[in-house]
Amino acid sequence: MKYYSTNKKISGVSLQDAVVKGLAEDKGLFMPDNIKRLPQEFFDTIETLSFQEIAYTVADAFFGEDVEAEALKEIVYDTLNFDVPLVHVNDNIYSLELYHGPTLAFKDVGGRFMSRLLGYFIKKQGEKNVNVLVATSGDTGSAVANGFLGVEGIHVYVLYPKGLVSPIQECQFTTLGQNITALEVDGTFDDCQALVKAAFMDEELNSKLKLTSANSINVARFLPQSFYYFYAYAQMKSIHPKLTADELETVFCVPSGNFGNITAGLFAMRMGLPVKRFIAANNRNDIFLQYLQTSEYKPRPSVSTIANAMDVGDPSNFARVLDLYEHSHKAITSEISGVSYTDEQIAETLKKCYSETEYLLDPHGAVGYRALEEMLQESENGIFLETAHPAKFLETVEGIIGEKVEIPQKLQEFMKGEKKSLPMSKEFESFKKYLLEL
Ligand SMILES: *Cc1c(COP(=O)(O)O)cnc(C)c1O
């Protein structure tokens, strides 16, 4: 399969190049030339398949032409060595728990898949000493670092802003050792991102080092997120064997920041997954909702909220949404609706849901749950994507419910490790010098 750029100046790119490059040269995002519809029999018997089997079928539709079957199967099975259960929360509302991976956030799915696929291509090219640079404001760094941990021939540099990520997030990428190096940048997330970008633009660096990126716009991180939409449908079918085809058409509600997760869901729908409609749930950063309401897209600086992984003022995957719907505002609004909540509303929802149902949401999931509570019709079933474990936002969640939150074993293990990071100035020259002296 070939890939084209959303800016339309570049096309015919191989999967390998799209994955290694990340972003197209015209600064657009890569899109697959076509989205294959899966056969009806797949949906008729999907509830008899495991998550890994379902994911492999979906992965084959995207990557089967470019990756040998055995290798692709290994990548998929290895990536998804954890469950993504669908849990009933209240009335006709279900939670798709995406936080059972190693770093307890949904980004594990894309991060693990991309690291393995990149490792596969690098091995094929016979490359050694590939350096992956990734800037993080929290969750991305840990998912990517854990995904690449121990992968031969690849070294990962995680750049993060000093003092601006939560202690739990920080220990998830600073205690790993091996082929992971954490760089603690004396600046903001934007400074980290600027350093990474400058490194990719620097001719001298690129002539001496093999550099690649692991950001969220990479097709290998984004497409695998469609796997679990199919698995959610399969679980819905097995929980309710008597539901008619109409009733099985679910409303998916996705807490959204950069819109990668929801865009993967839109791809799943194009592949034939029965979906009634999507809701993009936002915190106060409501640029997408504004677009739906006015048909004007006006990015603006993000404001910080308690659902901080969604504090995005210019969602990068919006370009993919536009491309998918051929820039038709009407087509977009017919399949996707939006909503935005304040921190007070998020906290109130988290607290109320916990006291009424004993289900503990994280601040991002709370945005999704509330949207379904308000927007679901009685005849509909709704699934919100629970994108992270509540313990990742310990102080916030404990403050809201007034109770201690149990920290999962997996998270405790990270916290035991010794933090190791190198201090780094936000000036490019010193970052460059460091890389050149490696
Ligand atoms: C990244 C993230 C999101 C937003 O996902 P997008 O794909 O950027 O829309 C939501 N919740 C959590 C916990 C995240 O880490």
Side-chain angles (χ1 to χ4, degrees):
M1 177 118 55
K2 295 285 189 246
Y3 290 78
Y4 65 91
S5 158
T6 51
N7 283 347
K8 306 279 171 148
K9 295 199 179 84
I10 288 172
S11 60
V13 177
S14 69
L15 173 66
Q16 178 161 341
D17 284 347
V19 171
V20 173
K21 287 199 179 98
L23 195 68
E25 270 118 357
D26 64 1
K27 303 263 185 290
L29 276 62
F30 286 116
M31 291 284 275
D33 267 353
N34 61 66
I35 302 173
K36 290 184 195 159
R37 259 190 109 76
L38 296 172
Q40 188 53 44
E41 308 87 77
F42 171 65
F43 296 104
D44 290 344
T45 56
I46 195 168
E47 70 279 14
T48 66
L49 304 175
S50 70
F51 182 26
Q52 289 166 326
E53 287 167 334
I54 293 169
Y56 177 67
T57 305
V58 181
D60 184 49
F62 285 118
F63 308 118
E65 292 167 24
D66 305 292
V67 184
E68 295 98 24
E70 267 317 300
L72 184 59
K73 197 163 187 178
E74 198 180 312
I75 292 172
V76 170
Y77 278 56
D78 202 33
T79 297
L80 304 175
N81 63 355
F82 53 90
D83 197 19
V84 175
L86 185 71
V87 177
H88 178 242
V89 179
N90 204 1
D91 300 329
N92 43 355
I93 301 180
Y94 296 77
S95 167
L96 185 65
E97 293 183 350
L98 297 170
Y99 58 68
H100 296 279
T103 75
L104 294 95
F106 85 92
K107 290 189 174 70
D108 278 327
V109 175
R112 287 167 69 79
F113 188 92
M114 179 178 57
S115 58
R116 281 159 182 75
L117 191 63
L118 195 57
Y120 164 83
F121 284 134
I122 285 168
K123 205 163 157 193
K124 222 169 128 180
Q125 289 176 323
E127 301 261 14
K128 290 190 192 88
N129 305 324
V130 173
N131 301 289
V132 174
L133 305 183
V134 57
T136 186
S137 58
D139 278 351
T140 300
S142 50
V144 169
N146 283 274
F148 280 107
L149 185 64
V151 177
E152 232 172 281
I154 298 180
H155 200 106
V156 179
Y157 297 87
V158 180
L159 290 83
Y160 71 103
K162 181 178 174 171
L164 295 178
V165 303
S166 83
I168 288 183
Q169 285 174 324
E170 187 177 16
C171 71
Q172 287 184 308
F173 52 79
T174 55
T175 60
L176 299 169
Q178 296 187 55
N179 59 330
I180 312 296
T181 301
L183 301 174
E184 187 173 30
V185 176
D186 197 5
T188 62
F189 168 66
D190 292 331
D191 293 322
C192 297
Q193 199 151 28
L195 284 179
V196 171
K197 279 194 181 148
F200 287 123
M201 310 273 252
D202 190 274
E203 263 177 50
E204 191 189 357
L205 271 181
N206 284 278
S207 68
K208 295 200 169 139
L209 294 172
K210 180 91 190 153
L211 297 178
T212 186
S213 83
N215 47 36
S216 65
I217 44 158
N218 197 305
V219 283
R221 233 189 97 182
F222 145 76
L223 287 172
Q225 293 170 0
S226 59
F227 300 162
Y228 41 71
Y229 287 91
F230 292 88
Y231 183 48
Y233 174 74
Q235 292 182 78
M236 200 63 147
K237 267 185 103 176
S238 30
I239 299 173
H240 299 294
K242 297 219 173 77
L243 287 186
T244 62
D246 267 359
E247 289 164 335
L248 271 171
E249 261 195 1
T250 312
V251 177
F252 275 102
C253 179
V254 189
S256 295
N258 260 325
F259 280 69
N261 212 2
I262 196 169
T263 307
L266 300 173
F267 272 64
M269 183 155 77
R270 294 284 170 103
M271 296 176 88
L273 183 72
V275 178
K276 183 113 183 251
R277 58 197 167 88
F278 285 91
I279 302 171
N282 283 146
N283 58 28
R284 281 199 300 126
N285 296 282
D286 65 347
I287 292 83
F288 184 74
L289 176 63
Q290 293 301 324
Y291 165 78
L292 293 177
Q293 289 171 347
T294 66
S295 87
E296 273 180 72
Y297 182 70
K298 285 192 187 149
R300 52 171 208 267
S302 61
V303 294
S304 85
T305 75
I306 58 169
N308 66 313
M310 311 195 313
D311 295 349
V312 180
D314 186 4
S316 49
N317 283 288
F318 182 66
R320 286 197 168 111
V321 177
L322 281 180
D323 191 82
L324 206 55
Y325 291 90
E326 290 167 350
H327 292 250
S328 162
H329 177 261
K330 189 161 169 253
I332 291 174
T333 52
S334 72
E335 286 182 357
I336 316 170
S337 51
V339 70
S340 148
Y341 296 119
T342 63
D343 277 0
E344 291 70 34
Q345 289 173 311
I346 296 170
E348 175 191 286
T349 305
L350 203 155
K351 189 175 174 135
K352 181 162 158 275
C353 179
Y354 184 59
S355 68
E356 287 177 0
T357 70
E358 288 181 20
Y359 191 83
L360 186 58
L361 298 158
D362 95 291
H364 307 79
V367 176
Y369 176 79
R370 181 166 181 135
L372 285 178
E373 261 199 325
E374 288 181 358
M375 298 167 82
L376 208 56
Q377 287 161 22
E378 243 173 72
S379 60
E380 294 175 327
N381 284 310
I383 296 174
F384 67 96
L385 274 51
E386 180 43 292
T387 48
H389 192 286
K392 286 198 90 166
F393 309 93
L394 201 65
E395 294 79 14
T396 304
V397 174
E398 288 183 344
I400 292 170
I401 62 170
E403 271 180 44
K404 281 270 168 229
V405 172
E406 200 181 326
I407 303 178
Q409 189 61 32
K410 257 185 277 190
L411 213 46
Q412 289 182 24
E413 290 303 321
F414 285 114
M415 295 161 80
K416 280 187 205 148
E418 188 194 348
K419 175 186 151 177
K420 274 202 196 111
S421 61
L422 286 170
M424 185 60 58
S425 139
K426 63 179 177 189
E427 304 306 326
F428 178 61
E429 281 315 311
S430 49
F431 179 51
K432 179 172 169 179
K433 187 159 172 278
Y434 166 77
L435 287 176
L436 285 174
E437 282 169 3
L438 286 175

